[in-house]
Amino acid sequence: CPAPSALRTGNGTRICAQLYTDNSPYYDQCCAGEVLVVQPGDDVPYMPWHWRNAISSLVVGTRCDLTVWSRSGKRGSSRRFGA
């Protein structure tokens, strides 16, 4: 997985989080598969349908927090992730 401080686009713009579809018990094989990029300030109350129940690993950048909910529309229980 990339280091939280290394989350940047090709032109150097900061990324707040990257979510991945594939995971592995072996650390060097984690953070694989499709990638969903979360930009600073993004507010997404509904995940794209093909990402529902598909995220298996994530990396949150420095100076960012990622809050997720168990139900769509920011309902249900929530959990906050940081770097």
Side-chain angles (χ1 to χ4, degrees):
C1 295
S5 60
L7 290 183
R8 303 223 176 254
T9 63
N11 67 6
T13 305
R14 188 170 68 104
I15 295 172
C16 267
Q18 289 188 163
L19 313 171
Y20 301 89
T21 57
D22 295 343
N23 195 7
S24 171
Y26 302 103
Y27 186 76
D28 61 338
Q29 297 174 16
C30 287
C31 300
E34 291 187 61
V35 179
L36 180 63
V37 175
V38 179
Q39 301 293 337
D42 277 357
D43 184 9
V44 183
Y46 298 94
M47 291 293 291
W49 69 269
H50 65 279
W51 279 91
R52 294 182 79 199
N53 299 320
I55 298 168
S56 63
S57 54
L58 60 90
V59 177
V60 178
T62 54
R63 300 187 331 253
C64 284
D65 287 322
L66 176 69
T67 304
V68 298
W69 284 265
S70 62
R71 303 190 64 207
S72 62
K74 297 183 180 181
R75 293 180 307 201
S77 58
S78 66
R79 181 157 182 193
R80 178 175 277 179
F81 295 92

